[in-house]
Amino acid sequence: MEDKLVIRGIEFRSRLWIGTGKYRDFEETARAVEASGADVVTVAVRRVNITDRKSENLLDFLDPKKYKILPNTAGCYTVEDALRYSRLAREAGVSDMIKLEVIGDEKTLFPDTIGLLKATEILAKEGFMVFPYTNDDPIMARRLEDAGAAAVMPLGAPIGSGLGLRNPYNIRIILEAAKVPVIVDAGVGTASDANIAMELGCDAVLINTAIAGARDPIGMAEAMKHAVIAGRLAYRAGRIAKKLYATASSPLEGML
Amino acid sequence: MRLTVNGEAYCTEKDTVRELLGEMDIVPERVAVEVNLKVIKRSEYAGYQLREGDSIEVVYFVGGGKQGNPK
């Protein structure tokens, strides 16, 4: 019974996607990614340090042949910047995938969805596979899908907040309507949060801070791996309805 | 020739993108290059002529997920 995530013909080994920020060093990043079983790792695009060329390269630790490198536009606050970073990322990388972020506000890091929609439209026309980081807004999810997004990535809660899925009902409405995969991006705090996202029927979850910021990132990476697998299996198996009163699970027949 | 590379003044005798990267000891396969806001394809590095005053950006991938680095 194959249950692989496939997006536009690309097959993914895992439904857990990993961010590579905030780790102690590249070695820890690589060990956490390995423990998570993820094959998608998202990376940021930044200036090369031209005065200190001895610094190590992340891709020496995460082999692009083994992992799918998903560049992001983290830190971009305008459509122009997001487009510029996306085009550079495509040239630096090996694929057309871009995790598109157009940030609206420094304090909340909520997406500027108007800018996001514009940038999605332009990049989709340029042949990018756009993965937009958006709000848990079903209407915006539909608009992004119509604009050519390859998937939608609604937040569960603010980036790095660890608050979990604050509005699972909206995520359910997004899931009901979406014809593209839905990947929860941001807000996961611990394994149960990732599990809930998957039990709702999300296609994947992207996690960074909850793993990198855990006391033991490698241990948490493994916990997330199991949470995502269990959540997906439970979704496919179909949960029972919630009821207010008890239903006996042992037969009454044969009692003394 | 005076250039601006990643926001810093940079003087060089090299006059193509490829030679400039070589001088800076940068592996072309790991970076992307922009000259005056235009992304240069890797296949064009060798033939791309630099001019006095050009502004060049050389970027690569770093660890980053969702932190959305403040401005």
Side-chain angles (χ1 to χ4, degrees), chain A residues 10-244:
Chain A
I10 298 175
E11 227 179 68
F12 297 86
R13 282 199 306 272
S14 168
R15 292 175 181 274
L16 173 57
W17 293 14
I18 298 287
T20 54
K22 296 183 182 172
Y23 286 95
R24 214 171 304 143
D25 50 38
F26 289 153
E27 208 221 316
E28 188 185 68
T29 314
R31 284 175 57 217
V33 172
E34 181 76 36
S36 76
D39 68 339
V40 176
V41 289
T42 181
V43 297
V45 176
R46 292 294 179 266
R47 279 174 167 166
V48 170
N49 186 341
I50 55 166
T51 46
D52 173 23
R53 295 291 313 119
K54 280 187 283 293
S55 52
E56 290 171 318
N57 190 310
L58 177 64
L59 296 191
D60 291 333
F61 291 80
L62 294 170
D63 184 358
K65 289 193 193 80
K66 192 170 165 197
Y67 297 106
K68 295 180 180 74
I69 306 295
L70 174 61
N72 62 56
T73 63
C76 291
Y77 284 78
T78 64
V79 174
E80 291 68 32
D81 272 353
L83 297 176
R84 189 180 179 198
Y85 276 71
S86 300
R87 290 163 183 155
L88 279 166
R90 175 150 75 174
E91 198 50 38
V94 286
S95 82
D96 296 322
M97 298 198 299
I98 188 79
K99 192 163 98 63
L100 184 63
E101 299 182 21
V102 182
I103 303 297
D105 174 75
E106 281 179 42
K107 194 170 176 183
T108 62
L109 298 180
F110 281 143
D112 168 3
T113 47
I114 295 169
L116 183 70
L117 183 61
K118 276 187 204 157
T120 299
E121 256 168 16
I122 295 168
L123 290 172
K125 280 192 190 127
E126 291 180 16
F128 280 87
M129 257 178 95
V130 186
F131 295 88
Y133 156 69
T134 182
N135 262 320
D136 54 7
D137 172 358
I139 308 305
M140 186 48 68
R142 192 177 67 207
R143 295 290 299 269
L144 289 165
E145 186 180 312
D146 292 346
V152 288
M153 302 187 79
L155 54 80
I159 292 169
S161 69
L163 289 172
L165 262 64
R166 290 186 313 170
N167 195 342
Y169 305 101
N170 271 28
I171 300 288
R172 273 174 63 186
I173 295 171
I174 291 173
L175 282 163
E176 237 179 66
K179 289 187 230 38
V180 294
V182 177
I183 302 166
V184 162
D185 182 10
V188 165
T190 186
S192 55
D193 297 331
N195 186 261
I196 286 169
M198 295 309 295
E199 284 185 358
L200 286 178
C202 292
D203 296 276
V205 183
L206 192 145
I207 303 171
N208 188 355
T209 308
I211 295 175
R215 195 176 59 241
D216 169 12
I218 315 302
M220 188 57 87
E222 199 184 346
M224 292 298 187
K225 170 182 162 175
H226 293 299
V228 166
I229 292 171
R232 181 67 186 177
L233 287 172
Y235 165 73
R236 291 187 32 109
R239 65 153 299 142
I240 61 163
K242 290 183 183 179
K243 282 176 289 194
L244 189 56

Side-chain angles (χ1 to χ4, degrees), chain A residues 19-22 42-48 50 53 57-60 71-72 75 77 84 87-89 91-93 99 101 106 109 133 159 185 208, chain B residues 5-8 10 24-27 29-34 37 39-42 45 57-71:
Chain A
T20 54
K22 296 183 182 172
T42 181
V43 297
V45 176
R46 292 294 179 266
R47 279 174 167 166
V48 170
I50 55 166
R53 295 291 313 119
N57 190 310
L58 177 64
L59 296 191
D60 291 333
N72 62 56
Y77 284 78
R84 189 180 179 198
R87 290 163 183 155
L88 279 166
E91 198 50 38
K99 192 163 98 63
E101 299 182 21
E106 281 179 42
L109 298 180
Y133 156 69
I159 292 169
D185 182 10
N208 188 355
Chain B
V5 181
N6 288 0
E8 313 260 339
Y10 189 95
M24 294 189 297
D25 206 17
I26 290 170
V27 183
E29 286 70 32
R30 287 286 171 83
V31 298
V33 176
E34 196 188 74
L37 297 177
V39 178
I40 311 301
K41 290 205 177 305
R42 210 167 280 156
Y45 288 174
E57 294 288 346
V58 185
V59 301
Y60 70 146
F61 294 141
V62 302
K66 297 288 316 149
Q67 76 271 50
N69 295 351
K71 275 183 282 193

